[in-house]
Amino acid sequence: MSTVVVDGLSAFRQEVRAFLRDHLPPEMAQRNLTKVHPSRQDILSWTAVLASKGWSVPKWPVAHGGTGWSARKLAVYEEELDLAGAPGTNIQGVSLVGPVICSFGSDAQRARYLPPIRNGTEYWSQGFSEPNSGSDLASLRTRAVRDNDGYVISGQKIWTSQSMDADMCFVLARTDPTVKPQRGISFFLVSLRSPGVTVRPIRSIDEGESLCEVFFDNVRVPADSIVGEEGKGWDYAKFLLANERTTTAEVPRNKRLLARLKRIATAEQRNGQTLIDCPVFRYSIAELEIELASLEAGVSRVIDGNAHPLLPSILKVQGCELMQALQKAQIDALGPRGIVYFPQGHDGPGGAQQPPVPDHARDVVADFLFRRAATIYGGSNEIQKNIVAKMLLGETPPTNGAPRDEVHAMLEASVARFVEKSYSFEQRKSMRLEGAAALLRNWKAFAELGWLGVALPEDCGGLGGGAPMAALVAEQLGRALALEPFLFSAFAISLLFSDVAEQERRDQLISSVLAGDTLFALAHWESIDTDDRTELVSCAQRQDDGYLLSGRKAMVFGGQVASAFVLTAHLDGAVALFLVPRDTSGMNIASYRLVDGQLVVDLEFDNLSLPADARIPMASDLQSMIDLAIDQLTICACADALGAMESAFRLTREYLLIRKQFGATLASFQALQHRLAEMFAQLEQARAITMSALSALDSAEPAARRLLVHTTKAAVSKRAFFVGSQAIQLHGGVGMTEEYAVGHYFKRLLVFQSLFGDARYHTSQYSAVMANCTG
């Protein structure tokens, strides 16, 4: 599993690990690796240790004790602490109210409250939710009435974590009931030792205590306990909640849960074998690990500032759901132990003793029960979907806004203009009827626009953009449902041709690609029944004046319009590359199309006679080059799928806004709003992991690159099918018609899902790698 760290931070990671080895007490780490409810003492003690290093409030402004670290550095720091078992700091103080006081508090409030939070001498809780005002904070009823030189607060708060241990509580209270609800709320800092405050712990379903009710019975607070301006509490709360939601994707915790799941699966046995050796259970672990990689890729985009503004809300939902799925898998792995009562830190009811349990099972059940709240706190998943849907269905939904350099932006604009002008859905219909002639005409246009060489190295006459630039073109063509074999006949072919050993031959071949006069078709795969790229049966034999080829190739993209085939075959115990003109005598070509309209052929050849110069000598090991080409091709195909997914999503959004049922637009129905939000969430997570893979492809070693491909293709295939099928569902009957575009996007995504191995295949391959690592 990769981490969110990038090159340049490994030294810092080692520094954090060394600090943890020297300063994190082993018994504290052991407690908090499994403990559901960390103690006040552990949290404050550890905060004091971090404060001695200047690390207790890293996100605060430097002037108030912050570190000034980059978002990437902060992510490394938080991950290392969590994985080591550090108890964390008082979240309500350090992460929530502290930043509010830094940004909106008075100088006196900063001097009074920030040092005790920073040094671990004062503990805070949050007073937002009320019995009838959970996620709907604007409806809260706690009142704060001005009285001489202060305020009198009356009301009740609930779900206030750790209030039984807290010294202070930040409280939202209504100061003006006559104005709009959001404008009449103020933000107070209240001592829980004040007369009139009553704290009652609530035992949660794990039978532990961390949640509380807090009653305010005419509690007097001084006027300087209000933060900022009276009536601006809603604004400060939104600032605080934005911070909270970006930290609840729970990547470090989920990594820890995944590691624990593997430990449990390694220890638990069923039918004479450990669970980790059971292919079905190991496959389920692989699925969860791939989901975690997708989640981490999304968090990484947020950290880098490349994310859609709605992504934090999406990640909160996805991270908490993944947490619960990991814990459910742990319970499943425990079998009967998963239903035994294991109270945390005390005997059971009536003095019953804790049953003897192995270390790998301790506190698992309690944590599973308590974390059912993960999809509720911080704004429930349903509320997050409401937020996402409201913005998506607004008059001007937010755009991705990911920065691009000038070259990438110009290329993207070039392809987008072409698609808009020459590749509308109606124009595509005409192209399908016209067939090969239309594809060849567009191919020549691609060449004139310079797209066929975007991935080629500059010394070969290309733009040097590699897979990332090819993916950019592919994404735009995916939006258009383009029929031209760009990835196969421009990107993959140019990658192979750039490694041709003889420079004159290399230049000649590349020149043919760039001119667009010759369309080459890559003929490598031999059966549509297998995803194994190494299953190569076609063979070549030397003869006096050349070679004899025998074999077959399946599903050759672009084969119906290709002038020549670039074909792989065994020769003398190795793989060799041959250039076979289309009109070569003795080659049978069977043409057909896929469900999305793309044109392909199957080839059969038996003792096909080729001249000596038909073989293309390579500078590098050809099998390695083919592996590289397929890996990059697979990730670029994910980008093509992104384009199709986004177009399907946008069509669906527009349809919900205009189609009426029962006198109201479909967009007004919450069930459909949530479905649209889920489509968007899957789209953005597919984008995140695809972009992450593209950025890592060139630097990854072959084994790591292949694992990256397994992860990405499995994740994007799953999401592509979801987006495509939901687009049909939300369109209803019209989505089932051939004349409407959305069904064609579904078919494009169906083809993508099956190409280069489907989600099942790549998850199985990932699982096999995991088995080798644990075996």
Side-chain angles (χ1 to χ4, degrees):
M1 175 60 60
S2 62
T3 64
V4 293
V5 69
V6 293
D7 290 344
L9 291 179
S10 57
F12 175 69
R13 186 180 289 274
Q14 294 305 317
E15 180 186 359
V16 177
R17 289 178 178 176
F19 177 81
L20 289 166
R21 283 194 301 270
D22 294 341
H23 295 89
L24 177 60
E27 64 278 6
M28 181 185 288
Q30 186 59 41
R31 279 196 302 274
N32 288 286
L33 278 170
T34 63
K35 195 172 186 180
V36 184
H37 306 286
S39 69
R40 169 190 166 102
Q41 184 58 45
D42 273 359
I43 287 174
L44 293 183
S45 296
W46 179 240
T47 302
V49 171
L50 293 176
S52 69
K53 180 73 171 175
W55 286 358
S56 62
V57 288
K59 295 181 182 179
W60 288 12
V62 173
H64 300 301
T67 59
W69 290 338
S70 67
R72 279 280 177 185
K73 207 167 186 176
L74 283 164
V76 170
Y77 169 77
E78 291 173 351
E79 178 175 278
E80 289 300 322
L81 265 61
D82 195 282
L83 294 177
T89 52
N90 173 213
I91 293 173
Q92 287 79 9
V94 171
S95 300
L96 301 182
V97 76
V100 171
I101 295 172
C102 287
S103 298
F104 307 107
S106 65
D107 289 340
Q109 287 171 335
R110 295 188 188 107
R112 159 64 184 87
Y113 296 113
L114 296 183
I117 296 174
R118 185 172 59 239
N119 297 325
T121 58
E122 200 163 62
Y123 202 95
W124 284 76
S125 65
Q126 173 177 299
F128 278 14
S129 296
E130 298 183 3
N132 293 304
S133 301
S135 296
D136 182 16
L137 290 177
S139 66
L140 63 84
R141 292 184 292 183
T142 296
R143 292 287 307 275
V145 178
R146 188 64 189 246
D147 182 42
N148 297 325
D149 58 348
Y151 292 85
V152 176
I153 299 178
S154 299
Q156 177 186 359
K157 298 294 180 178
I158 197 168
W159 317 127
T160 58
S161 300
Q162 275 81 44
S163 283
M164 71 284 194
D165 294 328
D167 307 295
M168 299 290 300
C169 184
F170 53 97
V171 177
L172 288 183
R174 190 168 302 285
T175 47
D176 188 346
T178 66
V179 297
K180 182 180 177 181
Q182 289 88 341
R183 296 268 64 90
I185 295 172
S186 298
F187 194 107
F188 291 90
L189 310 176
V190 181
S191 169
L192 292 180
R193 312 289 181 243
S194 302
V197 175
T198 302
V199 177
R200 186 180 74 82
I202 302 171
R203 180 166 285 190
S204 49
I205 60 174
D206 63 291
E207 303 193 32
E209 293 178 352
S210 67
L211 306 172
C212 296
E213 286 182 290
V214 181
F215 300 89
F216 298 91
D217 184 11
N218 293 321
V219 176
R220 291 187 171 274
V221 298
D224 61 4
S225 66
I226 193 170
V227 173
E229 299 178 40
E230 186 176 294
K232 291 290 187 72
W234 181 257
D235 297 331
Y236 308 146
K238 287 195 298 182
F239 171 87
L240 179 151
L241 290 172
N243 285 339
E244 184 180 28
R245 284 167 189 159
T246 57
T247 61
T248 50
E250 299 284 7
V251 167
R253 184 189 298 277
N254 283 334
K255 285 188 174 185
R256 184 150 51 87
L257 289 170
L258 177 65
R260 185 168 191 175
L261 173 60
K262 291 180 178 179
R263 288 196 300 272
I264 294 171
T266 302
E268 290 287 328
Q269 292 199 354
R270 299 287 189 278
N271 302 318
Q273 70 173 171
T274 60
L275 278 177
I276 201 70
D277 293 326
C278 171
V280 174
F281 198 85
R282 194 171 62 240
Y283 182 94
S284 68
I285 296 177
E287 285 186 304
L288 292 168
E289 192 158 358
I290 288 169
E291 288 300 305
L292 179 52
S294 300
L295 180 71
E296 188 172 18
V299 171
S300 187
R301 280 178 73 79
V302 172
I303 289 171
D304 289 340
N306 295 334
H308 193 286
L310 289 173
L311 192 55
S313 287
I314 290 169
L315 294 174
K316 192 274 181 188
V317 172
Q318 301 289 344
C320 292
E321 288 181 347
L322 178 58
M323 182 199 306
Q324 293 175 346
L326 284 162
Q327 292 180 311
K328 176 60 165 58
Q330 292 177 1
I331 295 297
D332 292 343
L334 287 176
R337 292 193 181 98
I339 57 172
V340 175
Y341 175 58
F342 297 142
Q344 178 181 292
H346 55 76
D347 293 335
Q353 297 296 308
Q354 289 201 49
V357 295
D359 287 342
H360 68 262
R362 191 164 300 282
D363 294 329
V364 172
V365 180
D367 199 34
F368 164 75
L369 291 170
F370 180 70
R371 298 293 169 186
R372 289 309 305 164
T375 48
I376 300 172
Y377 59 59
S380 71
N381 283 12
E382 290 71 26
I383 294 298
Q384 301 302 323
K385 290 176 184 179
N386 284 347
I387 293 170
V388 171
K390 181 178 180 180
M391 294 188 70
L392 291 175
L393 292 166
E395 291 184 7
T396 54
T399 58
N400 200 310
R404 294 196 186 276
D405 62 37
E406 185 176 355
V407 175
H408 283 73
M410 289 176 62
L411 177 62
E412 184 178 52
S414 170
V415 187
R417 283 195 301 270
F418 177 86
V419 166
E420 183 177 2
K421 178 181 178 182
S422 306
Y423 230 119
S424 69
F425 183 61
E426 292 302 319
Q427 289 169 315
R428 181 180 182 273
K429 284 184 183 178
S430 299
M431 290 178 203
R432 288 188 62 181
L433 292 174
E434 188 178 354
L439 268 63
L440 289 173
R441 185 169 59 252
N442 278 346
W443 197 255
K444 189 64 177 176
F446 289 4
E448 292 169 355
L449 290 165
W451 301 349
L452 302 185
V454 293
L456 274 168
E458 292 181 13
D459 62 359
C460 293
L463 292 180
M469 199 170 279
L472 190 152
V473 176
E475 183 177 350
Q476 294 296 326
L477 294 179
R479 288 193 176 100
L481 299 172
L483 300 167
E484 294 74 22
F486 170 78
L487 289 178
F488 293 90
S489 296
F491 173 57
I493 290 291
S494 63
L495 179 63
L496 293 174
F497 283 177
S498 67
D499 192 59
V500 171
E502 300 169 0
Q503 182 171 347
E504 183 177 349
R505 184 83 183 275
R506 184 194 72 175
D507 293 346
Q508 178 189 22
L509 290 169
I510 288 175
S511 177
S512 297
V513 171
L514 295 179
D517 296 321
T518 302
L519 191 149
F520 299 93
L522 177 62
H524 174 67
W525 289 270
E526 302 205 335
S527 172
I528 62 173
D529 299 323
T530 178
D531 299 306
D532 188 354
R533 67 178 63 180
T534 64
E535 189 173 305
L536 188 63
V537 178
S538 298
C539 62
Q541 295 179 328
R542 296 179 187 273
Q543 60 179 7
D544 293 340
D545 56 348
Y547 302 91
L548 290 176
L549 264 67
S550 296
R552 69 186 305 271
K553 298 294 178 179
M555 205 173 284
V556 179
F557 281 76
Q560 291 193 24
V561 292
S563 304
F565 297 97
V566 178
L567 187 149
T568 56
H570 280 298
L571 176 68
D572 300 334
V575 183
L577 200 65
F578 295 88
L579 185 62
V580 183
R582 181 185 188 86
D583 57 3
T584 300
S585 177
M587 185 162 60
N588 295 321
I589 303 175
S591 301
Y592 56 101
R593 69 175 179 85
L594 304 182
V595 295
D596 67 340
Q598 294 189 77
L599 303 178
V600 296
V601 302
D602 287 350
L603 305 177
E604 288 191 7
F605 37 94
D606 186 16
N607 288 325
L608 188 69
S609 181
L610 296 177
D613 64 357
R615 185 187 174 197
I616 306 173
M618 306 297 287
S620 305
D621 174 64
L622 179 57
Q623 185 61 59
S624 297
M625 289 299 299
I626 291 171
D627 287 345
L628 175 64
I630 295 175
D631 285 344
Q632 295 199 356
L633 194 61
T634 303
I635 300 301
C636 288
C638 292
D640 182 291
L642 284 179
M645 291 166 72
E646 182 161 333
S647 289
F649 167 78
R650 291 186 181 279
L651 279 174
T652 305
R653 173 189 176 272
E654 292 164 7
Y655 186 76
L656 294 182
L657 286 168
I658 61 173
R659 178 74 166 91
K660 288 189 175 182
Q661 286 271 23
F662 308 108
T665 63
L666 294 180
S668 65
F669 295 97
Q670 188 179 64
L672 303 188
Q673 293 173 4
H674 283 196
R675 195 74 65 87
L676 187 73
E678 289 162 1
M679 286 178 64
F680 185 74
Q682 297 300 319
L683 166 62
E684 285 304 304
Q685 281 214 303
R687 182 182 305 284
I689 197 165
T690 301
M691 296 300 109
S692 176
L694 284 167
S695 67
L697 268 178
D698 289 339
S699 60
E701 293 297 320
R705 186 185 72 226
R706 191 65 187 144
L707 194 61
L708 187 68
V709 170
H710 292 321
T711 303
T712 307
K713 183 58 165 65
V716 180
S717 292
K718 177 181 175 181
R719 287 160 173 78
F721 184 78
F722 179 86
V723 170
S725 60
Q726 292 305 304
I728 297 287
Q729 181 69 26
L730 293 184
H731 274 85
V734 71
M736 294 296 297
T737 63
E738 182 72 6
E739 293 301 308
Y740 193 70
V742 74
H744 293 265
Y745 285 106
F746 176 59
K747 291 193 284 187
R748 177 73 159 220
L749 295 171
L750 190 65
V751 169
F752 160 76
Q753 179 193 252
S754 296
L755 285 179
F756 311 114
D758 60 12
R760 172 203 52 78
Y761 166 75
H762 284 284
T763 304
S764 296
Q765 293 297 304
Y766 191 105
S767 177
V769 172
M770 185 174 72
N772 292 333
C773 292
T774 58

